Amino acid sequence: MNYSVFSMQLVMELQGENDPTYRELHKIIRSSPERTNYAQMHDFYGRICSVLRRQVNRFEMGVWDYWDDPSRAPRDFQDWVDGLQGKEARSQPAPEDGTPRYLACTLALLLQNGSTSDQRLGQHCDIPEAKLWTRGTFQHLLKGPALLNFLHVKSDVVYLLPGDDPACGLTKEDLSGKNFHYLRQLTA
């Protein structure tokens, strides 16, 4: 079977260790059962995307991809899964120096290439080049998972940085390093 991939990572400044957005995303991700049915997956992604869409004005950096090229999609998806191995995460809090800390929320979906879900998502991701890296585009793209029948989703991944310890929020230095070289600054 051939696949397509949709992936997205959003970065926003943490509003302290009790940031309500971080707490809500963390709760949704942690409370998700390991095994779910298609309706539960649809609901899960709907809740994550809804939380993120409400924060559009906080989006600072991000990246997204949609590839319907079956030779590229599995490899691209695996790159996102590898992010779960911790290469992007801080293992301990940065020294408290008063500089901002950031959260990064990532999602990636491997879809059956050519399925109705894939076709709908492909049309949804048809963004003019001049608007690829705007907050509004990311808000629009976060409506994409709601278009899917999760019967067509072969695999998925969601992760949140920092993980369980908000004190391990990312620093500007982290975000400008090699592990985040792909991020783009978002505009209004």
Side-chain angles (χ1 to χ4, degrees), residues 1-175:
M1 182 174 293
N2 290 325
Y3 299 103
S4 298
V5 66
F6 172 76
S7 56
M8 172 185 287
Q9 185 171 62
L10 276 166
V11 175
M12 63 184 94
E13 186 175 334
L14 277 166
Q15 297 176 339
E17 289 189 20
N18 290 313
D19 183 314
T21 301
Y22 165 78
R23 293 286 179 201
E24 191 171 2
L25 289 168
H26 187 268
K27 181 179 177 182
I28 292 168
I29 292 168
R30 283 289 181 210
S31 65
S32 176
E34 210 169 297
R35 296 198 181 271
T36 59
N37 63 36
Y38 302 130
Q40 290 168 323
M41 289 301 295
H42 192 271
D43 177 61
F44 173 76
Y45 277 94
R47 290 184 297 140
I48 296 253
C49 291
S50 176
V51 170
L52 290 169
R53 279 195 320 269
R54 290 192 309 261
Q55 301 303 316
V56 65
N57 292 329
R58 290 177 60 193
F59 298 173
E60 291 192 29
M61 293 184 282
V63 67
W64 71 275
D65 282 321
Y66 168 77
W67 297 105
D68 60 358
D69 177 350
S71 68
R72 182 174 182 160
R75 185 177 56 244
D76 195 57
F77 180 77
Q78 189 59 49
D79 285 345
W80 290 107
V81 170
D82 290 345
L84 287 173
Q85 305 299 321
K87 67 179 179 151
E88 297 173 338
R90 292 192 65 79
S91 58
Q92 53 187 315
E96 190 49 54
D97 60 4
T99 61
R101 300 295 186 260
Y102 297 85
L103 72 81
C105 187
T106 305
L107 59 94
L109 302 163
L110 190 65
L111 304 126
Q112 181 182 344
N113 183 267
S115 65
T116 54
S117 293
D118 183 37
Q119 292 172 26
R120 281 193 295 260
L121 190 58
Q123 290 170 355
H124 188 74
C125 292
D126 188 15
I127 308 292
E129 190 170 337
K131 295 186 177 194
L132 290 176
W133 309 113
T134 68
R135 290 181 187 98
T137 292
F138 277 73
Q139 186 178 40
H140 168 79
L141 292 170
L142 285 164
K143 296 175 185 175
L147 302 172
L148 303 178
N149 176 343
F150 278 80
L151 170 70
H152 300 134
V153 176
K154 165 71 173 163
S155 194
D156 67 289
V157 64
V158 174
Y159 56 98
L160 180 66
L161 299 174
D164 293 327
D165 184 358
C168 290
L170 300 165
T171 65
K172 274 283 192 200
E173 187 176 338
D174 294 330
L175 294 169

Side-chain angles (χ1 to χ4, degrees), residues 166-187:
C168 290
L170 300 165
T171 65
K172 274 283 192 200
E173 187 176 338
D174 294 330
L175 294 169
S176 62
K178 65 178 176 131
N179 289 335
F180 292 96
H181 68 278
Y182 51 82
L183 285 172
R184 303 284 189 113
Q185 195 68 40
L186 302 183
T187 61

